[in-house]
Amino acid sequence: MERSKIGAILKQKCPRCYQGDLFINKNPFRLKLLTAMHPRCKCCGLLTEPEPGFYFGAMYCSYGFGVVIFAINFITIELYLQLPSRYFIIINTLSLLLLWPVIFRYARVLYLYIFVRYDKNVALKNHEVN
Protein backbone atom coordinates (compact mmCIF):
# COMPACT_ATOMS: atom_id res chain seq x y z
CA MET A 1 0.00 0.00 0.00
CA GLU A 2 1.61 3.26 -1.17
CA ARG A 3 1.32 6.18 1.23
CA SER A 4 1.98 9.81 0.57
CA LYS A 5 4.97 11.61 2.02
CA ILE A 6 2.96 14.72 2.91
CA GLY A 7 0.32 12.61 4.63
CA ALA A 8 2.98 10.80 6.63
CA ILE A 9 4.59 14.10 7.64
CA LEU A 10 1.25 15.57 8.72
CA LYS A 11 0.47 12.44 10.74
CA GLN A 12 4.02 12.47 12.18
CA LYS A 13 4.87 8.99 10.95
CA CYS A 14 8.24 7.31 10.42
CA PRO A 15 10.08 8.59 7.32
CA ARG A 16 11.32 5.14 6.31
CA CYS A 17 8.04 3.16 6.39
CA TYR A 18 5.36 5.92 6.74
CA GLN A 19 3.60 3.71 9.31
CA GLY A 20 5.06 3.95 12.82
CA ASP A 21 4.33 6.89 15.10
CA LEU A 22 7.33 9.07 15.92
CA PHE A 23 5.99 10.56 19.16
CA ILE A 24 4.75 8.66 22.19
CA ASN A 25 1.78 11.00 22.72
CA LYS A 26 0.00 12.45 19.69
CA ASN A 27 -1.11 15.59 21.56
CA PRO A 28 1.61 18.27 21.28
CA PHE A 29 -0.06 20.38 23.96
CA ARG A 30 0.71 17.79 26.63
CA LEU A 31 3.92 19.61 27.42
CA LYS A 32 5.40 16.95 29.73
CA LEU A 33 5.51 14.55 26.77
CA LEU A 34 6.26 17.13 24.07
CA THR A 35 9.74 15.81 23.31
CA ALA A 36 9.06 12.13 24.09
CA MET A 37 9.72 10.06 20.99
CA HIS A 38 9.79 6.31 20.55
CA PRO A 39 13.47 5.29 20.53
CA ARG A 40 12.79 3.12 17.47
CA CYS A 41 9.97 2.91 14.97
CA LYS A 42 7.64 0.13 16.06
CA CYS A 43 7.15 -0.95 12.44
CA CYS A 44 10.61 -0.85 10.82
CA GLY A 45 13.02 -0.34 13.72
CA LEU A 46 14.42 3.00 12.53
CA LEU A 47 16.34 4.86 15.23
CA THR A 48 14.47 8.12 15.79
CA GLU A 49 17.56 9.82 17.21
CA PRO A 50 20.41 8.74 14.95
CA GLU A 51 23.05 10.49 17.09
CA PRO A 52 23.18 12.62 20.25
CA GLY A 53 22.15 16.19 19.54
CA PHE A 54 20.69 15.26 16.15
CA TYR A 55 17.67 17.51 16.57
CA PHE A 56 19.66 20.71 17.18
CA GLY A 57 19.41 21.18 13.42
CA ALA A 58 15.62 21.17 13.70
CA MET A 59 15.92 24.73 15.03
CA TYR A 60 16.42 25.85 11.44
CA CYS A 61 13.13 24.22 10.46
CA SER A 62 11.31 25.82 13.39
CA TYR A 63 12.83 29.18 12.43
CA GLY A 64 11.41 28.72 8.93
CA PHE A 65 7.97 27.92 10.34
CA GLY A 66 8.18 31.02 12.53
CA VAL A 67 9.05 33.20 9.55
CA VAL A 68 6.07 31.83 7.60
CA ILE A 69 3.71 32.51 10.52
CA PHE A 70 5.20 35.99 10.92
CA ALA A 71 4.68 36.71 7.20
CA ILE A 72 1.08 35.46 7.26
CA ASN A 73 0.32 37.59 10.31
CA PHE A 74 2.01 40.63 8.80
CA ILE A 75 0.22 40.37 5.46
CA THR A 76 -3.13 39.77 7.14
CA ILE A 77 -2.95 42.35 9.92
CA GLU A 78 -0.75 45.12 8.53
CA LEU A 79 -1.45 45.01 4.79
CA TYR A 80 -4.93 43.50 4.41
CA LEU A 81 -6.74 44.66 7.57
CA GLN A 82 -4.52 47.76 8.01
CA LEU A 83 -4.68 47.61 11.79
CA PRO A 84 -2.21 49.49 13.99
CA SER A 85 1.17 47.82 14.57
CA ARG A 86 0.43 47.03 18.20
CA TYR A 87 -2.26 44.55 17.07
CA PHE A 88 0.26 42.83 14.84
CA ILE A 89 2.74 42.53 17.70
CA ILE A 90 0.13 41.12 20.09
CA ILE A 91 -1.42 38.69 17.61
CA ASN A 92 1.94 37.52 16.26
CA THR A 93 3.32 36.94 19.75
CA LEU A 94 0.22 35.05 20.87
CA SER A 95 0.04 32.92 17.74
CA LEU A 96 3.73 31.96 18.00
CA LEU A 97 3.36 31.11 21.69
CA LEU A 98 0.24 29.05 21.13
CA LEU A 99 1.66 27.23 18.11
CA TRP A 100 5.08 26.61 19.68
CA PRO A 101 4.44 22.94 20.59
CA VAL A 102 3.14 22.19 17.09
CA ILE A 103 6.07 24.03 15.47
CA PHE A 104 8.51 22.15 17.70
CA ARG A 105 7.15 18.76 16.71
CA TYR A 106 6.85 19.42 12.99
CA ALA A 107 10.38 20.85 12.94
CA ARG A 108 11.65 17.55 14.32
CA VAL A 109 9.58 15.53 11.89
CA LEU A 110 10.67 17.58 8.90
CA TYR A 111 14.32 17.46 9.95
CA LEU A 112 14.21 13.67 10.25
CA TYR A 113 12.56 13.47 6.82
CA ILE A 114 15.46 15.45 5.35
CA PHE A 115 17.95 12.73 6.34
CA VAL A 116 15.91 9.51 6.11
CA ARG A 117 14.39 8.30 2.86
CA TYR A 118 11.30 6.18 2.32
CA ASP A 119 12.12 2.52 1.74
CA LYS A 120 9.40 0.79 -0.25
CA ASN A 121 10.82 -2.67 0.58
CA VAL A 122 10.64 -2.03 4.33
CA ALA A 123 7.10 -0.64 4.03
CA LEU A 124 5.91 -3.63 1.95
CA LYS A 125 7.54 -6.08 4.34
CA ASN A 126 5.85 -4.47 7.32
CA HIS A 127 2.52 -4.32 5.51
CA GLU A 128 2.68 -8.07 4.76
CA VAL A 129 3.41 -8.85 8.42
CA ASN A 130 0.55 -6.67 9.71
Side-chain angles (χ1 to χ4, degrees), residues 17-38:
C17 67
Y18 293 175
Q19 295 172 14
D21 290 326
L22 290 174
F23 293 95
I24 292 173
N25 188 306
K26 291 186 182 208
N27 183 359
F29 296 102
R30 220 162 143 216
L31 298 180
K32 285 188 178 185
L33 297 173
L34 177 67
T35 63
M37 296 178 76
H38 294 288

Side-chain angles (χ1 to χ4, degrees), residues 101-121:
V102 176
I103 292 169
F104 179 87
R105 284 227 174 147
Y106 279 109
R108 278 189 166 208
V109 171
L110 188 61
Y111 194 68
L112 191 58
Y113 269 77
I114 291 170
F115 291 100
V116 178
R117 299 287 175 238
Y118 176 71
D119 187 345
K120 187 175 184 177
N121 296 329

Side-chain angles (χ1 to χ4, degrees), residues 2-130:
E2 192 78 25
R3 296 181 183 223
S4 77
K5 186 175 203 170
I6 294 173
I9 290 171
L10 291 175
K11 292 177 183 176
Q12 300 174 355
K13 299 292 185 180
C14 171
R16 187 162 68 179
C17 67
Y18 293 175
Q19 295 172 14
D21 290 326
L22 290 174
F23 293 95
I24 292 173
N25 188 306
K26 291 186 182 208
N27 183 359
F29 296 102
R30 220 162 143 216
L31 298 180
K32 285 188 178 185
L33 297 173
L34 177 67
T35 63
M37 296 178 76
H38 294 288
R40 291 186 172 272
C41 173
K42 297 207 184 253
C43 295
C44 70
L46 174 75
L47 277 171
T48 58
E49 189 166 349
E51 61 187 47
F54 175 75
Y55 289 107
F56 284 131
M59 289 185 293
Y60 296 105
C61 296
S62 64
Y63 177 77
F65 289 140
V67 168
V68 168
I69 292 168
F70 176 90
I72 291 169
N73 285 337
F74 181 79
I75 291 168
T76 304
I77 296 164
E78 292 279 342
L79 302 180
Y80 182 71
L81 298 175
Q82 297 180 345
L83 296 174
S85 294
R86 67 179 174 272
Y87 290 109
F88 166 71
I89 293 169
I90 292 167
I91 292 171
N92 193 56
T93 302
L94 288 176
S95 63
L96 287 171
L97 284 174
L98 291 174
L99 290 174
W100 173 75
V102 176
I103 292 169
F104 179 87
R105 284 227 174 147
Y106 279 109
R108 278 189 166 208
V109 171
L110 188 61
Y111 194 68
L112 191 58
Y113 269 77
I114 291 170
F115 291 100
V116 178
R117 299 287 175 238
Y118 176 71
D119 187 345
K120 187 175 184 177
N121 296 329
V122 171
L124 288 174
K125 179 182 165 189
N126 289 330
H127 186 64
E128 290 171 3
V129 172
N130 292 333

